[in-house]
Structures are given as C-alpha cells and as structure tokens.
Amino acid sequence: MNTLSYKTVSANKATVNKEWVLVDADGQTLGRLASKVAKLIRGKYKPNFTPHVDCGDNVVIINAEKINLTGKKWTDKSYIRHTGYPGGQRSLTATELFDKDPARIIEKAVKGMLPKNKLGSALFRNLYVYVGSEHKQDAQNPKTINLNDLK
C-alpha cells in the first residue's frame, strides 16, 4: 500500500473563514494582550492555520486607555523613531506616547509581534484599536472574547 491516506490541507484566500472579534483591554498587561492579539490576527488559534496566508480574525480592541505596564516601564520604556535626516533620532517614553495617543502603544506592541514582510503589513490592517468603550465596527457584529481563556 503505497498511497497516502491523508493530505495536508492548506488554506487560501477563498477557503479561509475570517471572523470579527472584540477584545476589552481593561486591566490587561500590554505584552500579554499584544501577543494573544497577534496570534488571533495571524490565525494561530485556528486548526487550518497556514503560515503564508492571512487566515486570522479581524480584532477590535476597546478601552485602550486602561492598559497596564508592569515595573518601571512607564518611565523607562522608550519608543525610538528616526526622521530620516542626519541626527534625526527621536524618542518618547511610554508615558509621553500614552498621553499623545493611548491606542498607539497597543498598535506598536502588536505590530512588533507580526511578521516583518508584506503579509505582516496586510495582517496589521486587521487590527482596530479604540480609546473608550465605543467602536465603529458595530455593523460587523464582533464576538466578544476573553483573552484569559486563550493559551
């Protein structure tokens, strides 16, 4: 008997089923929240996960202003960027970035956990972060999910 009794099923754009998921960031630790959200966006919790296909869910995060950072990260953690000009390196602490836009802290954390290629850029567009409990994705009927239940 030289035949395979099974085949590896590889998902593609047509066969993947994407859902809308709502996550409440109230009281969550930033890194733990970001890693689980990155897995949701990537599709790692699904049985038909395929590494080179966008098979993850669309994630809506609310209450971004109620995120926690442990230890002295509010003052010690720095976000560095470059303007493109000589000597143009700029940095912000976590507190300064949080005061400007609390949603940006979560976006940066999740983006850093996604692949650094075209697929990662496409996956990042499936993330929606909002300050407060109101969001614009009511029409999509997002399913509320508890991150503490995920591994």
Side-chain angles (χ1 to χ4, degrees), residues 17-28:
N17 65 332
K18 297 175 72 68
E19 297 173 354
W20 284 84
V21 175
L22 180 69
V23 174
D24 191 358
D26 188 8
Q28 297 282 340

Side-chain angles (χ1 to χ4, degrees), residues 96-107:
E96 293 168 337
L97 184 63
F98 185 80
D99 291 340
K100 275 189 175 182
D101 186 12
R104 191 135 5 122
I105 280 194
I106 295 177
E107 288 174 355

Side-chain angles (χ1 to χ4, degrees), residues 57-71:
D57 296 330
N58 297 301
V59 179
V60 179
I61 300 177
I62 56 172
N63 293 323
E65 77 283 0
K66 296 180 182 172
I67 200 79
N68 286 336
L69 265 71
T70 57

Side-chain angles (χ1 to χ4, degrees), residues 81-90:
R81 63 184 177 89
H82 200 281
T83 62
Y85 290 97
Q89 183 170 317
R90 305 284 186 262

Side-chain angles (χ1 to χ4, degrees), residues 73-136:
K73 290 192 187 89
W74 281 116
T75 55
D76 293 356
K77 185 171 179 61
S78 65
Y79 293 91
I80 299 172
R81 63 184 177 89
H82 200 281
T83 62
Y85 290 97
Q89 183 170 317
R90 305 284 186 262
S91 67
L92 291 171
T93 65
T95 309
E96 293 168 337
L97 184 63
F98 185 80
D99 291 340
K100 275 189 175 182
D101 186 12
R104 191 135 5 122
I105 280 194
I106 295 177
E107 288 174 355
K108 280 183 163 290
V110 172
K111 187 171 184 151
M113 296 180 186
L114 292 174
K116 278 53 168 188
N117 52 24
K118 289 179 185 176
L119 176 63
S121 302
L123 290 171
F124 183 66
R125 290 187 209 110
N126 296 334
L127 175 68
Y128 303 87
V129 183
Y130 294 102
V131 176
S133 58
E134 299 295 316
H135 60 88
K136 299 175 186 170

